[in-house]
Amino acid sequence: MPMTYQSVAATGAACYVGPGLNTYSHVHIDDVTRLFTLALEAGRAGGLNHAVAGEVPNRWIAESVANDLGCDTRSATPQEAVLVWGELGALVMAASSRLRAVRAQRELGWRPEHTDMLSTIGEARLRKLADHST
């Protein structure tokens, strides 16, 4: 989400790459700390637990950011994405990385409490990223 706010500073619009269907799994830091605590208290040695609360396509994020800031959304080509976010950022924004937290839920009883990533839209820390002067 921060990268979408940064795209507004760079282009004047909330950007996504291609059709914007690429999706990353997300989790709130409070849910991560609860999972770490459960893993330390009851997890098995060497266990691998993913912390995942949900996923949202990048286009939905861009539309929510645009609504928050009163700007347009637009698709960026892969070449434009490099200009907006750099090579690594463009790769991240154009790819999908989807995980599930099956083991954490089954073995540790972990359940995320913060599942709506879009509820953080409009936070001051994010809006500052869209400021052209920073």
Side-chain angles (χ1 to χ4, degrees):
M1 191 175 323
M3 293 174 74
T4 305
Y5 274 92
Q6 291 169 335
S7 73
V8 176
T11 70
C15 296
Y16 51 88
V17 179
L21 300 177
N22 36 322
T23 303
Y24 266 74
S25 299
H26 62 79
V27 65
H28 192 279
I29 189 65
D30 292 344
D31 290 326
V32 173
T33 58
R34 280 193 9 272
L35 177 56
F36 267 83
T37 300
L38 288 170
L40 289 170
E41 292 173 351
R44 61 181 173 83
L48 175 64
N49 295 283
H50 293 293
V52 178
E55 57 189 32
V56 178
N58 283 350
R59 186 173 188 151
W60 293 8
I61 295 169
E63 289 168 349
S64 295
V65 168
N67 185 54
D68 175 42
L69 298 176
C71 66
D72 291 330
T73 61
R74 77 173 184 87
S75 174
T77 66
Q79 297 79 9
E80 291 172 317
V82 171
L83 298 174
V84 174
W85 296 295
E87 287 187 32
L88 179 59
L91 177 63
V92 167
M93 292 298 284
S96 291
S97 179
R98 302 169 84 183
L99 300 169
R100 299 288 180 258
V102 175
R103 182 176 290 140
Q105 292 177 357
R106 185 181 62 233
E107 294 180 8
L108 300 174
W110 177 78
R111 298 286 184 273
E113 294 177 3
H114 306 278
T115 57
D116 182 9
M117 176 183 180
L118 297 179
S119 68
T120 61
I121 296 286
E123 289 183 358
R125 67 180 177 86
L126 293 170
R127 288 180 135 206
K128 285 175 64 175
L129 298 172
D131 186 356
H132 298 298
S133 63
T134 57

XYZ file of all heavy atoms in Angstrom, residues 1 6-7 21 27-29 31 37-38 41 48 50-51 58 60 63 65 98-100 123 127 134:
206
model
N 0.807 -1.190 0.000
C 0.000 0.000 0.000
C 0.858 1.266 0.000
O 0.507 2.203 -0.714
C -0.943 -0.042 1.197
C -1.973 1.027 1.112
S -3.205 0.995 2.391
C -3.506 -0.707 2.666
N 3.038 6.272 -2.859
C 4.232 6.884 -3.468
C 4.021 7.146 -4.952
O 4.549 8.121 -5.490
C 5.446 5.980 -3.253
C 5.891 5.922 -1.807
C 6.914 4.823 -1.549
O 6.976 3.832 -2.274
N 7.693 5.005 -0.500
N 3.246 6.301 -5.610
C 3.011 6.512 -7.041
C 2.245 7.809 -7.292
O 2.408 8.429 -8.341
C 2.266 5.320 -7.656
O 0.906 5.270 -7.267
N -4.371 -7.038 -11.355
C -4.898 -8.231 -10.700
C -3.867 -8.924 -9.813
O -4.210 -9.859 -9.086
C -5.430 -9.217 -11.747
C -6.562 -8.677 -12.623
C -6.955 -9.708 -13.675
C -7.749 -8.272 -11.773
N -0.656 -9.090 6.218
C -0.923 -9.344 7.632
C -0.562 -8.095 8.420
O 0.382 -7.382 8.079
C -0.155 -10.584 8.135
C 1.350 -10.362 8.105
C -0.619 -11.007 9.516
N -1.315 -7.810 9.452
C -1.060 -6.660 10.331
C 0.025 -7.040 11.340
O 0.082 -8.179 11.818
C -2.361 -6.294 11.048
C -2.316 -4.986 11.757
N -1.742 -4.842 12.998
C -2.773 -3.766 11.399
C -1.851 -3.584 13.376
N -2.470 -2.906 12.417
N 0.859 -6.092 11.688
C 1.975 -6.355 12.604
C 1.496 -6.885 13.961
O 2.161 -7.721 14.577
C 2.881 -5.103 12.765
C 4.154 -5.452 13.534
C 2.120 -3.977 13.446
C 5.058 -6.421 12.839
N -0.974 -8.887 14.468
C -1.238 -10.310 14.274
C 0.058 -11.102 14.163
O 0.142 -12.244 14.632
C -2.111 -10.531 13.036
C -3.535 -10.049 13.236
O -4.053 -10.156 14.371
O -4.133 -9.560 12.261
N 4.449 -14.991 19.406
C 4.268 -15.384 20.801
C 3.757 -16.813 20.893
O 4.285 -17.626 21.669
C 3.292 -14.415 21.508
O 3.835 -13.096 21.440
C 3.087 -14.799 22.956
N 2.748 -17.152 20.104
C 2.224 -18.523 20.097
C 3.289 -19.524 19.664
O 3.407 -20.602 20.244
C 1.015 -18.626 19.158
C -0.272 -17.971 19.629
C -1.291 -17.933 18.493
C -0.839 -18.718 20.833
N 5.754 -20.051 22.486
C 5.159 -20.756 23.627
C 4.778 -22.197 23.308
O 4.933 -23.077 24.152
C 3.911 -20.007 24.113
C 4.200 -18.664 24.741
C 2.945 -17.874 25.065
O 1.831 -18.279 24.653
O 3.078 -16.822 25.722
N 7.522 -24.099 10.583
C 7.378 -22.978 9.662
C 5.917 -22.560 9.654
O 5.046 -23.355 9.303
C 7.809 -23.380 8.247
C 7.607 -22.344 7.155
C 8.465 -21.106 7.415
C 7.948 -22.938 5.800
N 3.292 -19.478 8.466
C 3.064 -18.237 7.729
C 2.013 -17.405 8.456
O 1.057 -17.947 9.012
C 2.572 -18.525 6.309
C 3.597 -19.179 5.457
N 4.747 -18.545 5.060
C 3.643 -20.427 4.923
C 5.459 -19.375 4.319
N 4.818 -20.511 4.220
N 2.204 -16.094 8.441
C 1.237 -15.161 9.006
C 0.528 -14.469 7.849
O 1.105 -13.607 7.199
C 1.937 -14.147 9.902
N -3.896 -5.361 -6.399
C -3.311 -4.015 -6.408
C -4.240 -2.960 -6.998
O -4.204 -1.806 -6.581
C -1.980 -4.019 -7.157
C -0.866 -4.597 -6.313
O -1.025 -4.820 -5.115
N 0.271 -4.853 -6.929
N -7.472 -2.763 -6.591
C -8.392 -2.358 -5.524
C -7.709 -1.395 -4.564
O -8.322 -0.440 -4.085
C -8.890 -3.562 -4.748
C -9.767 -4.513 -5.508
C -10.051 -4.506 -6.855
C -10.460 -5.619 -4.949
N -10.872 -5.555 -7.159
C -11.143 -6.260 -6.016
C -10.562 -6.148 -3.675
C -11.923 -7.389 -5.818
C -11.340 -7.279 -3.475
C -12.011 -7.880 -4.543
N -7.509 1.966 -6.314
C -8.818 2.627 -6.328
C -9.151 3.223 -4.966
O -9.695 4.330 -4.875
C -9.894 1.641 -6.772
C -9.792 1.299 -8.257
C -10.642 0.113 -8.684
O -11.185 -0.606 -7.806
O -10.747 -0.104 -9.906
N -6.908 4.169 -2.642
C -5.998 5.297 -2.430
C -6.481 6.509 -3.226
O -6.507 7.634 -2.714
C -4.550 4.919 -2.813
C -3.652 6.139 -2.879
C -3.990 3.889 -1.820
N 1.286 -15.264 -3.073
C 0.124 -15.653 -2.272
C 0.491 -16.817 -1.350
O 1.046 -17.812 -1.797
C -1.014 -16.040 -3.192
C -1.380 -14.884 -4.140
C -2.297 -15.309 -5.222
N -3.656 -15.273 -4.704
C -4.706 -15.652 -5.407
N -4.569 -16.092 -6.638
N -5.900 -15.584 -4.881
N 0.170 -16.654 -0.091
C 0.437 -17.670 0.922
C -0.834 -17.968 1.697
O -1.794 -17.207 1.663
C 1.504 -17.179 1.904
C 2.872 -16.839 1.313
C 3.718 -16.127 2.347
C 3.560 -18.104 0.832
N -0.807 -19.023 2.463
C -1.891 -19.365 3.375
C -1.268 -19.655 4.748
O -0.116 -20.029 4.840
C -2.663 -20.606 2.904
C -3.321 -20.438 1.550
C -4.511 -19.489 1.652
N -5.172 -19.306 0.374
C -5.016 -18.254 -0.393
N -4.211 -17.294 -0.064
N -5.676 -18.142 -1.524
N -4.561 6.691 6.511
C -3.725 6.976 7.671
C -2.707 8.054 7.309
O -2.169 8.070 6.196
C -3.005 5.712 8.151
C -3.927 4.710 8.804
C -3.194 3.492 9.346
O -1.957 3.392 9.193
O -3.881 2.630 9.924
N -0.581 8.893 3.855
C -0.851 10.106 3.060
C 0.402 10.937 2.859
O 0.560 11.564 1.803
C -1.932 10.942 3.746
C -3.308 10.310 3.631
C -4.344 11.143 4.302
N -5.475 11.198 3.383
C -6.342 12.143 3.342
N -6.271 13.160 4.166
N -7.340 12.100 2.486
N 7.957 15.792 -0.623
C 8.885 14.997 0.199
C 9.813 14.184 -0.634
O 9.696 14.026 -1.789
C 8.101 14.061 1.140
O 7.247 13.232 0.359
C 7.344 14.832 2.169
